[in-house]
Amino acid sequence: MELNFSKVEQAFYNESKLQKITTRMPYIAVDSFPKLGLLSALSFLEWVAENPGGVVSLPSGKTAQYFLQFTHFLLDNWDNQKGKDIRKKYGLADEKKPLLNGLQLVQMGDFYPISSKQHNSLNNFILKNYIEGFGLDINKAQLINSDEIKLAQEKHFSDVFPDFNIDLSLRYREAKTQLEQLQQESIFKIDQWCTEYENRIRKKGGIGFFLGGIGPDGHIAFNTRGSDHFASTRLTQTNFETQAITATDLGGIEVSRNRLVITIGLGTLGFNPENKAIIYAAGEAIAETIKNSLEMEPTVVYPATSLQRLKNSRFYLTDGAAVKLEDAVEEYYRNGPWIHQKTERAVMELCRKINKFGGKLELDDLKTDKYCSQIPGLDENTVQSVIDSILAKLRRGMQKETNHVYYHTGPHHDDIMLGIMPQTNRQSRDASNELHFSVLTSGYTAVTNHFLKDLLFDTKELINQEKIEMINYPDFFTEGYKYKWDKDIYHYLDNIAAQSPEEKRRGVCHRLVRALVSIWKVKDRENLLDVINEVLVSLKNSYDGSKNPPKIQQLKGMIREFEEELVWAHYGIMVKNVHHLRLGFYQNNVVGSKPDMEKDVLPILNDFRKYKPTVISLAMDPQGSGPDTHYKVLQAIAAAVEEWNKEEDLSNLRIVGYRNVWFKYNPWDVEVIVPVSLNSLATLDKSFSECYVTQVNASFPSYQHDGKFSELTQRTWFEQHKQIQFLLGKNFFYENSSPLLRATHGMVYLRELNIKQFLEEASNLGKSMEGII
């Protein structure tokens, strides 16, 4: 393949681990999401320098963060030494500072209908970040503004579609009511607007530079799986994967399921044969989609394959996003020392490829396999060496531990449960062990306005019925609300046992009252009712997905904290052993930012000093994929461990790394494999459903599963069990002398590191993420 890279691209390609490209479109792989942003920004500015009046379509949403920040950084530092050094390193040494105000911006899509005044409309994002932020000329821009699209009888969309639902079957069937007639006529007016929008793009010669992310189903803009490769701008529905990833922005899947989109088409992107169409992606979660998009022939199943017809199409990837490409697999086996981990991977993947248990593999199977044939000293004992290694990991996962202090951490509520609950359950059964569970962020975004409104109404009703007795205690509003928070927990759990939904709900309302008194400094019963009404008014006046005032954010966060306490109370963990750190980094999205010692590190360090854990667990995302909390929590914990190591001998401290439904380990990546019984799977689902009351209906589901996270976790652990089954065989499990292994139907994979290994991994990750500028 002729790569035809620009100067910027060639410089990044020269640094890439992946030098042999055999895919249907060129790509460049970098080692972190911030570096992906730097590559995107430099490539954009390089193109603008050559095409100052060109037509561009730029990304919107969270994934654009580093692109935006590095573009600003480069423009602000173009002529100082820092900027010159970066430009020299990456091929722009001789370029003059480009001017952006001549560009013709095309908005690639937006939800419909949505007011442009809402912060979560993509139109608002474009206005804030590109028109105002980059200084682009709004008179040269083509924008999608729901408020300005003319509908039948000159009505606003809120009058035509009062519930925001649009029935596209009206394009094909008879309208049966006056409202349907109005809606039908309006839909055709929107269709006409889309056609005119497309024509305006084509009159400009088409898009010359496109930069966008890719969805979990491979969608580009809002061209989801099944989209016609020659489609133009249109009003259309989305699929579940897209609805799931936009649920957070729109205030829940209940909203995103019913919101249509206006999007440019794949045909729009392909109209200009010179279009430099760049797709960027980060993290292992998207790796399968990237593999199929780059290695398959054009297919409507993966919309990004439509870009193969453009000679200037590109993919910019992190190493994690590229990890499943055949090029990456080849590089893995070809370079570096051949450690036993490679042997494990080659043999276990061969079992899957030829659908043969490890014990049934013959030497000829290994010799004829592309990768197994490279194993040094390949012989009849090779497969057994892999089996022995996996069995050793299983024994470590089954080993009973005593006299430990465990400090389990999670970036968000439910991360610990979905990552390692079977392991923590076994730890809690021995009285000599002490367990602590620490959630490092508030988690308020996971609570919908609708949920909170219903809970406030129920609380108000219970107060009026005199069923919140504690508010009648003389000292409740001054001191009493601070005590016996675990009484609410016990009340709730008691009524799980009693199978009383009404009393469980009353338990949640009890905790809500304590939270209201704590946050608003409520003085008495009447003041409490006033505060409830005040919050209800605020929620009523908020649109779905809007940013709540700080006090309401805190209230939502405290509901999530109650849920976390409920989960671990199932296993006898007291409220005082469940910690809510609410670290400040959650609001910090500055490029190259490190954990703040006072706000982020000290709270963790103080817990280490106080409880003196012998085992610390955390969610590990080694690629640092995205500006997300997993990476920041890891760095904050690493900084706290490093400081604590200066004060005490931590040579025996163990660090356990887990993953959950977002990022998955393979058995060859880990040191410990924990068998999971069917009983543990049932316990997981039951406790999730009973305790995470805000999540039972999955307002913010994974794009991988239309349901609860506990169900997705069960699927993940079962699939991991199948990986081990392929090697060891089914007979190994159901004929085993161990009752636990006979009952096993899932597996949890865990890293286990000492302090030196952990700090070294965290440091290397930090350098790749923060050592760019």
Side-chain angles (χ1 to χ4, degrees):
M1 177 194 297
E2 184 179 349
L3 298 179
N4 193 28
F5 283 148
S6 70
K7 289 181 181 178
V8 166
E9 290 170 335
Q10 189 64 47
F12 278 89
Y13 172 71
N14 291 342
E15 291 183 350
S16 174
K17 298 174 187 174
L18 299 180
Q19 293 289 304
K20 185 181 177 183
I21 296 179
T22 62
T23 51
R24 293 175 172 272
M25 285 180 280
Y27 64 87
I28 298 169
V30 298
D31 60 10
S32 71
F33 196 10
K35 196 164 185 178
L36 197 65
L38 179 62
L39 166 58
S40 302
L42 282 163
S43 185
F44 168 63
L45 294 173
E46 179 184 39
W47 188 88
V48 173
E50 297 173 0
N51 302 272
V55 181
V56 300
S57 191
L58 301 175
S60 53
K62 296 186 183 81
T63 58
Q65 174 194 352
Y66 286 119
F67 165 69
L68 290 166
Q69 291 182 358
F70 277 116
T71 301
H72 281 295
F73 175 84
L74 291 163
L75 290 173
D76 292 344
N77 294 275
W78 196 268
D79 292 318
N80 65 28
Q81 195 58 48
K82 189 179 286 188
K84 288 178 180 178
D85 289 344
I86 292 176
R87 290 195 288 115
K88 182 179 179 181
K89 182 177 180 181
Y90 291 113
L92 287 185
D94 300 326
E95 292 290 352
K96 292 182 180 179
K97 181 178 178 179
L99 298 175
L100 306 187
N101 59 0
L103 294 175
Q104 303 174 71
L105 178 67
V106 171
Q107 183 177 341
M108 68 178 74
D110 208 339
F111 308 108
Y112 188 87
I114 189 170
S115 173
S116 63
K117 298 179 179 63
Q118 293 185 196
H119 86 283
N120 53 352
S121 78
L122 301 184
N123 180 270
N124 184 277
F125 183 97
I126 296 289
L127 290 172
K128 179 180 177 182
N129 291 284
Y130 295 128
I131 303 302
E132 180 183 340
F134 280 7
L136 303 189
D137 187 345
I138 194 169
N139 295 314
K140 296 178 181 177
Q142 276 190 227
L143 304 180
I144 302 170
N145 186 330
S146 296
D147 293 310
E148 295 179 356
I149 297 176
K150 295 191 185 320
L151 303 181
Q153 301 178 23
E154 300 294 319
K155 289 184 178 292
H156 189 260
F157 65 73
S158 58
D159 298 315
V160 178
F161 307 106
D163 56 0
F164 296 99
N165 287 342
I166 302 177
D167 182 1
L168 291 182
S169 72
L170 285 167
R171 282 177 174 153
Y172 316 110
R173 66 173 176 85
E174 180 185 2
K176 296 181 178 178
T177 66
Q178 284 188 337
L179 179 59
E180 281 197 347
Q181 289 174 357
L182 180 67
Q183 291 174 339
Q184 185 181 64
E185 187 180 343
S186 295
I187 289 170
F188 288 132
K189 281 188 170 289
I190 298 168
D191 290 340
Q192 181 62 32
W193 183 92
C194 291
T195 298
E196 291 168 1
Y197 190 88
E198 178 76 18
N199 288 338
R200 287 164 61 199
I201 296 172
R202 297 192 177 208
K203 283 179 182 177
K204 296 175 188 287
I207 295 168
F209 182 93
F210 175 87
L211 176 66
I214 183 169
D217 65 329
H219 75 244
I220 305 299
F222 284 114
N223 293 280
T224 56
R225 189 192 313 105
S227 294
D228 185 337
H229 284 195
F230 298 94
S232 59
T233 304
R234 65 203 182 281
L235 174 70
T236 186
Q237 294 174 311
T238 57
N239 56 12
F240 171 74
E241 292 97 327
T242 305
Q243 292 158 9
I245 61 173
T246 57
T248 301
D249 292 327
L250 291 176
I253 191 76
E254 303 86 355
V255 181
S256 59
R257 276 193 201 278
N258 297 320
R259 202 62 59 96
L260 302 189
V261 293
I262 292 175
T263 181
I264 61 173
L266 297 174
T268 317
L269 293 175
F271 177 74
N272 178 359
E274 301 297 321
N275 182 11
K276 184 161 189 175
I278 301 167
I279 304 301
Y280 66 103
E284 293 177 27
I286 197 73
E288 188 68 30
T289 297
I290 295 301
K291 175 180 174 64
N292 290 319
S293 297
L294 281 173
E295 294 180 350
M296 292 181 73
E297 293 183 358
T299 169
V300 295
V301 178
Y302 289 96
T305 59
S306 67
L307 301 181
Q308 291 176 23
R309 68 182 188 270
L310 291 174
K311 64 181 180 181
N312 293 322
S313 59
R314 303 276 190 272
F315 273 59
Y316 294 167
L317 308 169
T318 63
D319 291 335
V323 73
K324 291 190 177 182
L325 293 175
E326 191 61 30
D327 295 341
V329 177
E330 287 231 6
E331 190 273 339
Y332 170 82
Y333 286 111
R334 184 173 56 244
N335 294 326
W338 190 286
I339 54 178
H340 197 265
Q341 183 184 39
K342 291 186 179 181
T343 300
E344 288 181 26
R345 177 174 176 177
V347 170
M348 295 188 76
E349 291 198 328
L350 176 62
C351 290
R352 177 185 54 81
K353 280 187 287 188
I354 66 174
N355 196 26
K356 209 172 191 181
F357 292 141
K360 302 285 187 181
L361 287 177
E362 298 174 0
L363 188 56
D364 282 346
D365 293 325
L366 278 68
K367 287 181 175 179
T368 55
D369 180 66
K370 183 176 183 180
Y371 300 120
C372 287
S373 60
Q374 301 177 35
I375 297 172
L378 179 64
D379 59 21
E380 291 83 356
N381 297 318
T382 298
V383 175
Q384 189 59 48
S385 74
V386 174
I387 291 173
D388 291 343
S389 176
I390 295 301
L391 288 175
K393 296 177 183 184
L394 265 172
R395 284 193 291 271
R396 291 182 74 175
M398 296 169 65
Q399 187 175 341
K400 183 180 180 180
E401 296 186 335
T402 58
N403 298 302
H404 276 290
V405 178
Y406 298 95
Y407 190 89
H408 296 298
T409 71
H412 315 93
H413 303 85
D414 74 22
D415 274 334
I416 305 172
M417 170 196 241
L418 299 175
I420 53 172
M421 178 177 256
Q423 186 78 321
T424 63
N425 288 356
R426 290 170 201 163
Q427 294 164 354
S428 68
R429 289 179 193 138
D430 194 290
S432 69
N433 291 328
E434 178 184 327
L435 280 74
H436 295 266
F437 297 89
S438 184
V439 180
L440 278 69
T441 64
S442 167
Y444 62 82
T445 55
V447 182
T448 65
N449 285 352
H450 180 74
F451 177 90
L452 182 55
K453 279 190 280 190
D454 286 348
L455 187 59
L456 286 164
F457 279 124
D458 288 348
T459 303
K460 189 176 174 181
E461 182 65 22
L462 288 170
I463 291 171
N464 291 332
Q465 294 175 6
E466 301 295 335
K467 289 185 177 179
I468 308 286
E469 295 98 336
M470 59 187 182
I471 66 172
N472 297 319
Y473 298 166
D475 66 341
F476 176 76
F477 292 100
T478 54
E479 291 289 325
Y481 74 92
K482 299 177 184 177
Y483 308 117
K484 296 187 177 180
W485 287 54
D486 36 8
K487 184 179 179 181
D488 308 330
I489 300 292
Y490 190 79
H491 177 98
Y492 189 97
L493 296 183
D494 228 8
N495 285 287
I496 290 177
Q499 300 182 44
S500 173
E502 296 82 4
E503 284 301 306
K504 283 196 302 180
R505 187 67 166 177
R506 193 159 74 97
V508 183
C509 293
H510 279 162
R511 177 55 68 89
L512 184 71
V513 168
R514 292 184 192 274
L516 288 164
V517 174
S518 174
I519 298 167
W520 274 270
K521 310 301 179 190
V522 175
K523 303 300 182 186
D524 52 37
R525 173 193 168 117
E526 292 308 311
N527 187 200
L528 175 61
L529 290 169
D530 288 342
V531 167
I532 290 174
N533 289 330
E534 173 191 325
V535 176
L536 284 169
V537 169
S538 177
L539 295 173
K540 182 181 178 182
N541 293 331
S542 300
Y543 54 83
D544 292 316
S546 63
K547 187 176 180 179
N548 298 124
K551 286 185 176 181
I552 295 180
Q553 288 180 351
Q554 187 178 348
L555 182 63
K556 287 183 171 184
M558 291 180 77
I559 293 170
R560 293 290 277 148
E561 291 166 2
F562 174 66
E563 294 176 337
E564 196 71 15
E565 292 166 11
L566 282 175
V567 166
W568 303 119
H570 266 67
Y571 311 101
I573 307 299
M574 299 183 71
V575 168
K576 67 182 181 64
N577 282 36
V578 183
H579 312 291
H580 314 294
L581 299 193
R582 308 176 190 171
L583 298 186
F585 73 77
Y586 204 56
Q587 304 297 330
N588 182 8
N589 285 319
V590 179
V591 171
S593 63
K594 295 182 178 180
D596 180 271
M597 180 57 68
E598 196 71 28
K599 293 179 180 178
D600 303 327
V601 180
L602 198 55
I604 305 172
L605 178 58
N606 285 337
D607 272 3
F608 291 167
R609 290 165 172 164
K610 183 176 181 181
Y611 304 116
K612 301 191 182 303
T614 58
V615 181
I616 298 169
S617 74
L618 71 156
M620 293 189 77
D621 170 18
Q623 278 295 322
S625 306
D628 82 87
T629 51
H630 286 231
Y631 165 72
K632 292 181 179 179
V633 164
L634 187 151
Q635 291 299 337
I637 292 172
V641 168
E642 190 169 21
E643 288 299 312
W644 192 32
N645 192 40
K646 296 174 184 176
E647 304 169 4
E648 298 197 27
D649 176 13
L650 301 182
S651 55
N652 292 321
L653 178 68
R654 287 159 45 206
I655 309 292
V656 174
Y658 64 86
R659 291 187 172 189
N660 52 30
V661 296
W662 302 110
F663 305 100
K664 302 176 183 68
Y665 281 127
N666 288 296
W668 50 84
D669 296 323
V670 299
E671 292 75 28
V672 180
I673 298 176
V674 180
V676 182
S677 68
L678 205 56
N679 181 59
S680 289
L681 292 172
T683 300
L684 169 84
D685 188 63
K686 178 69 173 174
S687 52
F688 186 97
S689 302
E690 292 283 8
C691 300
Y692 289 115
V693 290
T694 62
Q695 306 305 302
V696 173
N697 294 321
S699 287
F700 304 100
S702 165
Y703 59 81
Q704 301 170 67
H705 175 63
D706 191 357
K708 296 177 293 185
F709 277 108
S710 56
E711 295 169 347
L712 180 56
T713 297
Q714 178 170 332
R715 182 195 297 173
T716 300
W717 291 348
F718 174 71
E719 290 297 325
Q720 291 176 175
H721 175 53
K722 281 176 64 178
Q723 281 184 297
I724 304 302
Q725 263 189 346
F726 263 122
L727 179 70
L728 302 181
K730 292 183 178 180
N731 292 3
F732 170 83
F733 289 96
Y734 69 76
E735 294 179 354
N736 204 285
S737 59
S738 164
L740 175 56
L741 287 175
R742 288 200 303 272
T744 294
H745 294 276
M747 293 286 179
V748 172
Y749 299 154
L750 301 175
R751 294 292 314 280
E752 188 168 298
L753 306 97
N754 60 36
I755 183 172
K756 181 180 178 182
Q757 292 168 326
F758 171 61
L759 291 178
E760 186 175 331
E761 284 203 17
S763 174
N764 290 338
L765 177 58
K767 287 174 184 175
S768 72
M769 292 286 283
E770 296 155 359
I772 297 171
I773 57 176

